[in-house]
């Protein structure tokens, strides 16, 4: 990979050290060009459904390659909030396995979505951070056999704290909980 070449695609990097990797992430020239082309196609030719679907499929394929997933594991949605809402509203209804664990380091909208779920809000457990970090022992303690799903950020949005997904997955899966990882700030990075 040519590091210099990839950096040159992001004009803002000439003048800034850019740490945000989110909806306000640095814009790359090819992305800017694609937005412009899409805008122009709307102006000049109007709706182009099949072209849009082709682009969507291309994007799914590339994203599957990026994260090492199969194509049928990739769904494209408009935002993380939409994705988490879709998951939160389609969880199985278990009387004895109904606890939802998320962390203080999740993006605020993630917590709002869990609290907005009527059947879930009585069974929420929030893992607190200490000095901007969360320890594996906290997962060991908070995730219990009645946990249905554990929701965590991979990289924290305000201090960059990176969690050990493999270790957390081992703990969470051992307790029979699903693991939902918000990789918004980490996808595409080592
Ligand atoms: C880690 C993380 N999760 C979720 C979100 C919210 O994403 P969206 O606006 O796509 O719902 C953000 C936004 O910056 C984020 O950094």
């Amino acid at each position: 990979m040519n590091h210099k070449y990839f950096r040159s695609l992001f004009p803002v990097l000439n003048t800034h050290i850019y740490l945000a990797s989110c909806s306000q992430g640095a814009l790359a020239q090819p992305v800017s060009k694609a937005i412009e082309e899409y805008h122009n196609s709307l102006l000049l030719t109007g709706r182009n459904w099949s072209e849009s679907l082709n682009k969507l499929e291309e994007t799914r394929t590339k994203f599957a390659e990026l994260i090492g997933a199969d194509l049928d594991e990739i769904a494209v949605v408009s935002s993380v909030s939409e994705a988490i809402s879709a998951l939160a509203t389609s969880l199985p209804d278990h009387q004895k396995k109904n606890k939802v664990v998320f962390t203080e380091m999740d993006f605020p909208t993630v917590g709002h979505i869990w609290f907005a779920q009527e059947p879930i809000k009585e069974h929420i457990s929030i893992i607190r951070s200490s000095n901007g970090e969360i320890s594996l022992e906290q997962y060991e303690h908070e995730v219990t056999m009645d946990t249905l799903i554990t929701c965590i950020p991979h990289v924290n949005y305000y201090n960059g704290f990176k969690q050990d997904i493999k270790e957390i997955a081992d703990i969470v899966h051992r307790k029979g909980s699903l693991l939902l990882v918000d990789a918004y700030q980490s996808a595409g990075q080592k």
Side-chain angles (χ1 to χ4, degrees), residues 97-167:
K97 204 165 182 55
N98 54 11
K99 181 164 131 185
V100 172
V101 177
F102 63 90
T103 78
E104 198 179 50
M105 295 191 112
D106 276 282
F107 195 71
T109 49
V110 173
H112 297 162
I113 291 164
W114 290 116
F115 277 122
Q117 309 308 313
E118 240 355 276
I120 287 171
K121 65 182 187 198
E122 303 299 322
H123 310 283
I124 282 175
S125 171
I126 302 173
I127 299 182
R128 304 286 167 193
S129 61
S130 167
N131 295 324
E133 297 189 5
I134 293 173
S135 67
L136 290 175
E137 289 70 35
Q138 287 174 277
Y139 287 99
E140 226 18 294
H141 183 254
E142 293 291 338
V143 181
T144 44
M145 295 308 280
D146 58 351
T147 304
L148 178 58
I149 188 162
T150 306
C151 173
I152 62 166
H154 186 191
V155 169
N156 176 246
Y157 71 97
Y158 64 82
N159 70 358
F161 173 60
K162 187 175 179 183
Q163 305 209 82
D164 189 332
I165 298 297
K166 172 99 188 49
E167 294 283 347

Side-chain angles (χ1 to χ4, degrees), residues 18-36:
Y18 209 94
L19 298 179
S21 169
C22 60
S23 47
Q24 305 291 304
L27 188 62
Q29 267 158 342
V31 177
S32 171
K33 189 162 164 273
I35 294 170
E36 200 181 318

Side-chain angles (χ1 to χ4, degrees), residues 76-89:
V76 178
V77 287
S78 65
S79 65
V80 170
S81 303
E82 186 197 339
I84 295 185
S85 300
L87 291 166
T89 52

Side-chain angles (χ1 to χ4, degrees), residues 31-45:
V31 177
S32 171
K33 189 162 164 273
I35 294 170
E36 200 181 318
E37 279 169 10
Y38 177 60
H39 192 188
N40 283 339
S41 80
L42 289 179
L43 282 173
L44 302 176
T45 55

